[in-house]
Amino acid sequence: MAAMDDPAPPVPAVMIAALKETLGPGGWLEAPADRAPFETDFRGLYHGPAALIALPDSTERVARVVALCARGRVGIVPQGGNTSYCGGATPRPAGNEILLSLRRLRRIRAVDAAGDALTAEAGCVLAELQSAAAAVDRLLPMSIGSEGSATLGGLVSTNAGGTAVLRYGMMRALVLGLEVVLPDGRVLNQLSGLRKDNTGYDLKQLFIGAEGTLGVVTAATLRLFPRPAVTATAFAALPTPAAALALLAALRDSLGDAVTTFELMPRLALEFVCRHVPGTRDPFGAPHAWYALVEATAGAEDPEFTPRFASVLAAAIGDGHAQDAVIASSGAEREALWRLRETIPEAQRHEGVSLKHDISVTPGRLPAFIAAGAALVARLAPHARLVAYGHLGDGNLHYNLSEPAGGDGGALSRQSEEIRRAVHDLVAAHGGSFSAEHGIGQAKVGELERYEDPVALDLMRAMKRTLDPHGIMNPGKVLRGSE
Ligand code: MLT
Ligand code: ZN
């Protein structure tokens, strides 16, 4: 394997010609203007020219492209909806990799309502898959802000999380089977809808969350669930994160695993949203320190369900764990409450430079982490605006800092490494993870080396060498020096 500072040579013209022939008319892009949207991540932080944008329209063509690249030792960067927060789907600057877009693999191959399973190709957009499940009265419970553009291959490859993990788990829990093009061009076909299958190692787990470094996910079979008959949604005002945890515990005591969503946000996040997102407004007359978007669903019609949900909130207000709450009484009101949470990333973009950290600790340790983190930020960057929001039920916070109001974003950017180190050290001291749901990409390769158990890192490198001996799959992502 070549070292990191010994980049592969440019892609030879004969290889480009062979790839074009394999891909066929309409199967590739080469002009700089056509390539541009694929070569920059959506936050505009990572850029890298691709020697060619390959747009295969079938698994078979993906396999032929990968086989060609394996023979020529050409790096391949797989890309789906280009929504990575970590530069995981953007080529590196050297210009000697091809970008493999899965966007044309768009077929939903089967929807099995009786078997509660859906099989689709990697380029299918999540929102379309949700609709396909709903059309047969089933629920595909994966739910993320970018569901209008994120695609199945990327969701699997990054083990996506989102706002329903509390009840249904991350992508890993939803995948029943995968089809993967291996780094030598062979196709691993394990598109099984089986619920029980103990035939040796569970190979699909290797590719879920591997960010395209071990192979290209071309299709997946996902688990579906009954569609909820009743949905109860509330927005609650809370004095502290500890009170939020107490409210979550009370909801679970009363409703069991019907609680699907418990999202925490601070006052500043609500202010950002109301300032920048048209049509949004603070549901309460007075400001509060923290808020939670809470949702619970019941599988069958149950006239007692929403009143029970409401009585837990009323009791929480009675005992001081909540200060106020509104419950949606229509679909439109529900959507308005969800908008207050889902548009936080968009609203924060309008507030200038931001530093993002995607951390998790066990939920019970969140209050202590939040208190220690606030003290740390006050010491390191007293004028930065801390907006720590996210999936409280999963112990996952987007621990983001915005530049001072009307202030100097450049100063915050210059401190980004120092702040990142301090935040991630604090996470480690709380037994947590520096990458809860956004992955490693190229952004957190050094963090993985620093915080991961050395034995785990050895195993990861051994797996990479075994499956991808020439280091052609998404080189330099997740593991350094793997090319
Ligand atoms: C979210 O939960 O809104 C996302 O994961 C994105 C973010 O980091 O802001
Ligand atoms: Zn999130």
Side-chain angles (χ1 to χ4, degrees):
M1 269 181 211
M4 184 72 171
D5 49 4
D6 179 16
V11 183
V14 303
M15 169 61 75
I16 298 287
L19 286 167
K20 287 178 180 172
E21 195 186 320
T22 299
L23 289 158
W28 49 270
L29 298 169
E30 201 178 25
D34 296 336
R35 293 189 339 237
F38 298 85
E39 293 177 334
T40 299
D41 71 308
F42 86 103
R43 289 181 71 205
L45 298 180
Y46 298 92
H47 314 272
L52 188 77
I53 310 289
L55 290 154
D57 59 359
S58 67
T59 299
E60 202 230 321
R61 271 200 228 261
V62 174
R64 282 162 55 199
V65 165
V66 174
L68 269 174
C69 289
R71 278 203 292 282
R73 310 288 193 259
V74 172
I76 301 170
V77 181
Q79 188 182 94
N82 198 11
T83 60
S84 170
Y85 271 106
C86 302
T90 309
R92 294 174 304 166
N96 55 9
E97 299 162 346
I98 69 152
L99 189 145
L100 179 69
S101 169
L102 281 304
R103 285 184 192 184
R104 289 175 77 212
L105 267 68
R106 287 298 286 268
R107 272 188 320 131
I108 296 178
R109 295 190 189 163
V111 186
D112 177 4
D116 287 316
L118 173 153
T119 299
E121 295 182 346
C124 292
V125 171
L126 175 55
E128 292 168 7
L129 299 177
Q130 292 166 338
S131 303
V136 296
D137 200 26
R138 293 293 180 274
L139 175 74
L140 172 58
M142 177 53 54
S143 175
I144 57 174
S146 56
E147 61 202 24
S149 45
T151 56
L152 179 56
L155 294 162
V156 171
S157 297
T158 57
N159 186 26
T163 51
V165 172
L166 187 57
R167 168 90 167 267
Y168 297 102
M170 295 177 75
M171 201 64 189
R172 197 178 291 285
L174 304 179
V175 173
L176 289 171
L178 288 184
E179 178 188 87
V180 183
V181 173
L182 300 178
D184 61 4
R186 285 180 298 163
V187 180
L188 174 71
N189 190 338
Q190 297 206 311
L191 278 179
S192 144
L194 295 176
R195 305 286 159 147
K196 300 183 88 171
D197 181 12
N198 268 349
T199 49
Y201 302 141
D202 189 359
L203 296 175
K204 66 178 178 295
Q205 300 297 347
L206 280 179
F207 303 97
I208 303 170
E211 304 185 37
T213 61
L214 299 178
V216 185
V217 172
T218 48
T221 301
L222 302 181
R223 187 188 288 266
L224 303 180
F225 292 81
R227 235 158 48 111
V230 190
T231 300
T233 310
F235 200 75
L238 306 158
T240 60
L245 278 179
L247 173 60
L248 174 58
L251 283 162
R252 282 176 147 170
D253 283 349
S254 171
L255 303 169
D257 79 348
V259 185
T260 50
T261 296
F262 198 106
E263 297 283 314
L264 183 71
M265 54 195 275
R267 171 74 196 164
L268 196 51
L270 183 65
E271 285 178 9
F272 283 6
V273 166
C274 293
R275 192 176 304 152
H276 299 294
V277 183
T280 55
R281 63 174 190 86
D282 183 343
F284 306 112
H288 298 274
W290 295 91
Y291 303 91
L293 175 74
V294 187
E295 192 158 275
T297 59
E301 284 299 342
D302 176 0
E304 297 305 316
F305 187 77
T306 303
R308 213 157 63 235
F309 178 79
S311 71
V312 179
L313 288 166
I317 292 172
D319 63 23
H321 288 137
Q323 293 159 323
D324 208 344
V326 289
I327 297 180
S329 58
S330 66
E333 282 184 20
R334 173 179 180 259
E335 269 170 36
L337 296 183
W338 268 94
R339 261 176 96 66
L340 297 177
R341 161 63 183 92
E342 285 201 312
T343 57
I344 299 173
E346 171 193 332
Q348 191 166 24
R349 271 199 289 280
H350 290 281
E351 294 283 338
V353 167
S354 67
L355 308 183
K356 284 177 175 279
H357 311 92
D358 168 37
I359 67 96
S360 68
V361 297
T362 53
R365 297 184 83 168
L366 263 183
F369 174 82
I370 289 172
L376 182 100
V377 171
R379 184 165 55 77
L380 284 182
H383 304 297
R385 293 172 295 164
L386 180 58
V387 186
Y389 67 92
H391 319 290
L392 175 120
D394 314 322
N396 174 196
L397 285 182
H398 300 302
Y399 201 80
N400 299 350
L401 273 68
S402 278
E403 67 178 60
D408 177 5
L412 187 62
S413 294
R414 284 191 291 280
Q415 271 193 291
S416 65
E417 280 308 311
E418 179 195 8
I419 292 171
R420 174 154 98 155
R421 176 65 53 244
V423 169
H424 289 170
D425 281 353
L426 189 66
V427 170
H430 284 76
S433 167
F434 66 87
S435 178
E437 63 170 6
H438 292 169
I440 303 294
Q442 46 187 310
K444 298 182 191 168
V445 174
E447 304 301 280
L448 188 68
E449 289 168 351
R450 184 181 174 94
Y451 295 105
E452 187 54 279
D453 171 59
V455 178
L457 261 180
D458 269 1
L459 279 177
M460 288 186 206
R461 291 184 178 128
M463 273 154 47
K464 174 73 175 170
R465 277 194 301 272
T466 303
L467 270 86
D468 183 20
H470 306 305
I472 62 162
M473 289 309 314
N474 215 1
K477 312 290 167 47
V478 183
L479 297 172
R480 197 193 307 268
S482 54
E483 59 278 58

